[in-house]
Amino acid sequence: IRGSVPCDERCAGFVVYLDGVGGSYSGAGEVVELGQKDKLFIPRVLPLLKGSTLRIGNDDPFLHNVHARREGKTVFNVNLLFQYQTLDLVIAEPGVYELSCEPHPEMAGVIVAFEHPFFTRPDAAGSFAIPGVPAGSYRLVSFDVAKGRRRSKAVRVGDGPVVVDF
């Protein structure tokens, strides 16, 4: 599946994914990186497959923490005391994790953990591609994470490419 999302200058804050995917998937063995630099989470929006290892790094010369909440409840709250320190955690449950850093309240980020690998972030122009989708009928969702807004379209995947523009 490929296509485009009208995301203007905020494309880094979007995730495009399939809804209605069955099967059993795990990100076990996959490492996904979340950085902290110049008092920012990088990337600010990070999609990953549940079971993936989240490697958190601190590139600033001062303390950061990562406080993650899902559905308003703390899932983890870890400190990174030193520059270039890293910490690995497994993200076991799907869902939207809101991130904050208590020493720097202006810092905000989001992890979106999926139950399947059929998701992506659009590029700076809004183009996206989700390869290897099995044949079937799904909803393709464009998720504007900052606004909490989702738009979706029905898609049918068969033998050829599917193009969807939101």
Side-chain angles (χ1 to χ4, degrees):
I1 298 175
R2 63 183 172 83
S4 65
V5 175
C7 48
D8 302 320
E9 313 222 334
R10 299 179 309 108
C11 294
F14 277 67
V15 178
V16 179
Y17 64 93
L18 287 180
D19 197 13
V21 176
S24 178
Y25 301 93
S26 172
E30 183 176 336
V31 176
V32 181
E33 294 187 2
L34 175 71
Q36 294 173 310
K37 182 165 179 61
D38 299 327
K39 296 182 183 176
L40 296 170
F41 287 110
I42 300 172
R44 195 178 83 61
V45 174
L46 179 63
L48 54 78
L49 179 58
K50 73 172 183 169
S52 297
T53 296
L54 177 67
R55 177 161 294 147
I56 305 166
N58 178 5
D59 287 336
D60 286 327
F62 42 79
L63 165 94
H64 281 300
N65 81 314
V66 180
H67 191 164
R69 295 173 183 89
R70 192 178 74 235
E71 298 174 3
K73 296 180 182 164
T74 295
V75 178
F76 60 85
N77 189 358
V78 295
N79 291 316
L80 287 102
L81 302 173
F82 307 107
Q83 187 173 26
Y84 308 125
Q85 179 181 0
T86 62
L87 176 70
D88 289 354
L89 299 166
V90 173
I91 303 298
E93 297 296 323
V96 177
Y97 295 72
E98 295 179 14
L99 306 178
S100 63
C101 175
E102 276 77 18
H104 309 104
E106 67 275 19
M107 289 179 67
V110 176
I111 295 170
V112 185
F114 291 96
E115 295 198 54
H116 59 75
F118 306 109
F119 59 85
T120 191
R121 288 187 309 166
D123 66 18
S127 297
F128 67 87
I130 303 174
V133 176
S137 295
Y138 309 98
R139 299 245 14 120
L140 182 67
V141 180
S142 167
F143 181 20
D144 180 345
V145 176
K147 293 186 176 182
R149 186 178 304 149
R150 290 176 171 88
R151 294 171 52 191
S152 68
K153 290 190 173 192
V155 296
R156 173 88 182 124
V157 176
D159 294 333
V162 176
V163 178
V164 178
D165 293 315
F166 283 91

PDB file of all heavy atoms in Angstrom, residues 16 37 81 85 96 113-114 121 129 133 136:
ATOM      1  N   VAL A  16       0.638   6.223   9.805  1.00  0.00           N
ATOM      2  CA  VAL A  16      -0.338   5.580   8.927  1.00  0.00           C
ATOM      3  C   VAL A  16      -0.266   4.090   9.212  1.00  0.00           C
ATOM      4  O   VAL A  16       0.828   3.512   9.261  1.00  0.00           O
ATOM      5  CB  VAL A  16      -0.032   5.881   7.444  1.00  0.00           C
ATOM      6  CG1 VAL A  16      -1.044   5.186   6.541  1.00  0.00           C
ATOM      7  CG2 VAL A  16      -0.024   7.387   7.186  1.00  0.00           C
ATOM      8  N   LYS A  37      17.604  15.054  23.040  1.00  0.00           N
ATOM      9  CA  LYS A  37      18.651  15.996  22.673  1.00  0.00           C
ATOM     10  C   LYS A  37      18.045  17.389  22.583  1.00  0.00           C
ATOM     11  O   LYS A  37      16.957  17.557  22.029  1.00  0.00           O
ATOM     12  CB  LYS A  37      19.274  15.615  21.334  1.00  0.00           C
ATOM     13  CG  LYS A  37      20.420  16.538  20.924  1.00  0.00           C
ATOM     14  CD  LYS A  37      21.231  15.930  19.816  1.00  0.00           C
ATOM     15  CE  LYS A  37      22.362  16.814  19.372  1.00  0.00           C
ATOM     16  NZ  LYS A  37      23.348  17.120  20.379  1.00  0.00           N
ATOM     17  N   LEU A  81      20.703   9.750  33.864  1.00  0.00           N
ATOM     18  CA  LEU A  81      21.450  10.752  34.611  1.00  0.00           C
ATOM     19  C   LEU A  81      22.590  11.378  33.829  1.00  0.00           C
ATOM     20  O   LEU A  81      22.948  12.526  34.062  1.00  0.00           O
ATOM     21  CB  LEU A  81      22.015  10.127  35.885  1.00  0.00           C
ATOM     22  CG  LEU A  81      20.995   9.514  36.842  1.00  0.00           C
ATOM     23  CD1 LEU A  81      21.717   8.787  37.965  1.00  0.00           C
ATOM     24  CD2 LEU A  81      20.080  10.581  37.393  1.00  0.00           C
ATOM     25  N   GLN A  85      24.244   8.117  28.117  1.00  0.00           N
ATOM     26  CA  GLN A  85      23.696   6.936  28.792  1.00  0.00           C
ATOM     27  C   GLN A  85      22.538   6.401  27.957  1.00  0.00           C
ATOM     28  O   GLN A  85      21.775   7.166  27.360  1.00  0.00           O
ATOM     29  CB  GLN A  85      23.216   7.306  30.191  1.00  0.00           C
ATOM     30  CG  GLN A  85      22.616   6.153  30.962  1.00  0.00           C
ATOM     31  CD  GLN A  85      22.115   6.568  32.350  1.00  0.00           C
ATOM     32  OE1 GLN A  85      22.208   7.719  32.737  1.00  0.00           O
ATOM     33  NE2 GLN A  85      21.577   5.613  33.070  1.00  0.00           N
ATOM     34  N   VAL A  96      -1.149   3.696  22.913  1.00  0.00           N
ATOM     35  CA  VAL A  96      -0.529   5.008  22.791  1.00  0.00           C
ATOM     36  C   VAL A  96       0.080   5.370  24.141  1.00  0.00           C
ATOM     37  O   VAL A  96      -0.625   5.408  25.154  1.00  0.00           O
ATOM     38  CB  VAL A  96      -1.556   6.069  22.346  1.00  0.00           C
ATOM     39  CG1 VAL A  96      -0.918   7.446  22.294  1.00  0.00           C
ATOM     40  CG2 VAL A  96      -2.152   5.701  20.983  1.00  0.00           C
ATOM     41  N   ALA A 113       2.442   1.848  19.946  1.00  0.00           N
ATOM     42  CA  ALA A 113       2.824   0.438  19.840  1.00  0.00           C
ATOM     43  C   ALA A 113       1.700  -0.343  19.171  1.00  0.00           C
ATOM     44  O   ALA A 113       0.547  -0.285  19.612  1.00  0.00           O
ATOM     45  CB  ALA A 113       3.125  -0.133  21.224  1.00  0.00           C
ATOM     46  N   PHE A 114       2.050  -1.057  18.111  1.00  0.00           N
ATOM     47  CA  PHE A 114       1.070  -1.800  17.315  1.00  0.00           C
ATOM     48  C   PHE A 114       1.177  -3.296  17.551  1.00  0.00           C
ATOM     49  O   PHE A 114       2.227  -3.799  17.958  1.00  0.00           O
ATOM     50  CB  PHE A 114       1.294  -1.514  15.821  1.00  0.00           C
ATOM     51  CG  PHE A 114       0.940  -0.117  15.434  1.00  0.00           C
ATOM     52  CD1 PHE A 114       1.904   0.870  15.358  1.00  0.00           C
ATOM     53  CD2 PHE A 114      -0.374   0.223  15.157  1.00  0.00           C
ATOM     54  CE1 PHE A 114       1.579   2.163  15.010  1.00  0.00           C
ATOM     55  CE2 PHE A 114      -0.716   1.512  14.805  1.00  0.00           C
ATOM     56  CZ  PHE A 114       0.264   2.489  14.729  1.00  0.00           C
ATOM     57  N   ARG A 121       5.526   5.971   9.191  1.00  0.00           N
ATOM     58  CA  ARG A 121       5.385   7.422   9.285  1.00  0.00           C
ATOM     59  C   ARG A 121       5.557   7.982   7.880  1.00  0.00           C
ATOM     60  O   ARG A 121       6.444   7.529   7.148  1.00  0.00           O
ATOM     61  CB  ARG A 121       6.443   8.025  10.206  1.00  0.00           C
ATOM     62  CG  ARG A 121       6.185   7.718  11.661  1.00  0.00           C
ATOM     63  CD  ARG A 121       7.114   8.448  12.585  1.00  0.00           C
ATOM     64  NE  ARG A 121       8.503   8.251  12.180  1.00  0.00           N
ATOM     65  CZ  ARG A 121       9.507   8.975  12.623  1.00  0.00           C
ATOM     66  NH1 ARG A 121       9.326   9.952  13.457  1.00  0.00           N
ATOM     67  NH2 ARG A 121      10.738   8.717  12.227  1.00  0.00           N
ATOM     68  N   ALA A 129       4.559   4.365   2.422  1.00  0.00           N
ATOM     69  CA  ALA A 129       4.461   3.031   1.835  1.00  0.00           C
ATOM     70  C   ALA A 129       4.455   2.014   2.964  1.00  0.00           C
ATOM     71  O   ALA A 129       5.223   2.125   3.917  1.00  0.00           O
ATOM     72  CB  ALA A 129       5.629   2.769   0.890  1.00  0.00           C
ATOM     73  N   VAL A 133       1.836  -6.224   2.755  1.00  0.00           N
ATOM     74  CA  VAL A 133       0.521  -6.408   3.380  1.00  0.00           C
ATOM     75  C   VAL A 133      -0.146  -7.649   2.790  1.00  0.00           C
ATOM     76  O   VAL A 133      -0.247  -7.785   1.569  1.00  0.00           O
ATOM     77  CB  VAL A 133      -0.365  -5.163   3.155  1.00  0.00           C
ATOM     78  CG1 VAL A 133      -1.762  -5.380   3.716  1.00  0.00           C
ATOM     79  CG2 VAL A 133       0.288  -3.926   3.763  1.00  0.00           C
ATOM     80  N   GLY A 136      -6.409  -9.034   1.644  1.00  0.00           N
ATOM     81  CA  GLY A 136      -7.554  -8.929   2.540  1.00  0.00           C
ATOM     82  C   GLY A 136      -8.145  -7.536   2.518  1.00  0.00           C
ATOM     83  O   GLY A 136      -7.678  -6.646   1.806  1.00  0.00           O
TER      84      GLY A 136
END
